[in-house]
């Protein structure tokens, strides 16, 4: 890794090693990105086709579809390929981002580190946790993964793509730690 990708303070816990997500997380993230790019590409292709059709109709003032098909050039819809270039770049970065993600259960707080371009280091006090849920989508279930969602007064945090057993154990542990450390009302 180069100097711009290596986690550095304030994104580290000193000597503490963060628990990483399973490596199959990379595959699930790549599938999710591919589906998003596919949707954006389809939207841009349809938009390019619609705009060129409308422009032709306005410019030529005709409604003859045969003439329009002769005028319309399929290369006008190539704007739909722009997201594919982004996905090609993103494909390699997903693996690098996996090295940066992790979590650690401290004595009083849960530490969550995410992000590659926009780095986030979250410290979540157990006493502030209100709700912990585990859920899994169809792609996650296929790859035997789950997401742990943690709600607190400050917002919502997630630990994506954990082993389901680990996610359920973390849910139980976080629920118990929140119950024990909850401040009296």
């Amino acid at each position: 890794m180069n100097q711009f990708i290596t986690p550095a303070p304030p994104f580290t816990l000193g000597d503490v090693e963060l628990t990483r997500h399973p490596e199959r997380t990379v595959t699930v993230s790549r599938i999710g990105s591919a589906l998003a790019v596919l949707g954006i590409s389809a939207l841009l292709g349809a938009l390019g086709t619609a705009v060129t059709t409308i422009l032709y109709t306005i410019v030529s003032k005709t409604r003859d579809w045969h003439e329009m098909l002769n005028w319309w050039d399929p290369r006008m819809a190539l704007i739909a390929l722009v997201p594919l270039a982004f996905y090609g770049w993103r494909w390699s970065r997903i693996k690098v981002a996996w090295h940066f993600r992790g979590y650690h259960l401290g004595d009083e707080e849960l530490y969550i580190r995410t992000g590659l371009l926009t780095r986030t280091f979250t410290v979540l006090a157990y006493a502030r946790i209100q709700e912990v849920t585990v859920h899994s989508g169809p792609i996650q279930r296929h790859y035997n993964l789950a997401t742990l969602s943690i709600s607190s007064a400050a917002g919502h945090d997630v630990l994506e793509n954990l082993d389901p057993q680990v996610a359920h154990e973390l849910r139980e542990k976080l629920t118990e730690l929140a119950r024990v450390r909850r401040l009296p009302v």
Side-chain angles (χ1 to χ4, degrees), residues 1-9 11-12 96 100 113 116 119:
M1 294 183 160
N2 67 31
Q3 65 179 349
F4 299 109
I5 296 174
T6 305
F11 302 104
T12 60
V96 175
F100 194 82
R113 183 175 70 185
L116 178 63
R119 297 177 181 180

Side-chain angles (χ1 to χ4, degrees), residues 110-112 114 120-125 129 131-133 135 147-160 174:
L110 170 67
Y111 302 95
I112 304 170
T114 60
T120 305
F121 190 76
T122 305
V123 179
L124 183 61
I129 294 176
E131 181 182 20
V132 183
T133 59
H135 54 92
T147 297
L148 181 76
S149 298
I150 306 162
S151 297
S152 67
H156 187 79
D157 294 297
V158 294
L159 291 172
E160 293 180 321
L174 288 173

Side-chain angles (χ1 to χ4, degrees), residues 22-39 83-84 86-99 101 116 139-140 143 145 160-161:
E23 193 161 355
R24 60 187 181 276
T25 298
V26 174
T27 304
V28 171
S29 296
R30 285 179 174 166
I31 291 170
S33 290
L35 291 174
V37 165
L38 180 66
L84 294 178
F86 170 74
Y87 182 67
W89 173 80
R90 176 98 173 103
W91 178 271
S92 64
R93 293 293 172 209
I94 288 173
K95 177 76 172 184
V96 175
W98 172 77
H99 289 285
R101 297 177 66 181
L116 178 63
I139 296 172
Q140 286 181 318
Y143 285 95
L145 295 170
E160 293 180 321
N161 300 326

Side-chain angles (χ1 to χ4, degrees), residues 43-64:
L43 181 65
L44 287 176
L47 184 64
T49 303
V51 167
T52 55
T53 303
I54 291 169
L55 285 176
Y56 173 76
T57 306
I58 291 171
V59 170
S60 68
K61 299 191 187 303
T62 183
R63 301 286 190 259
D64 186 11

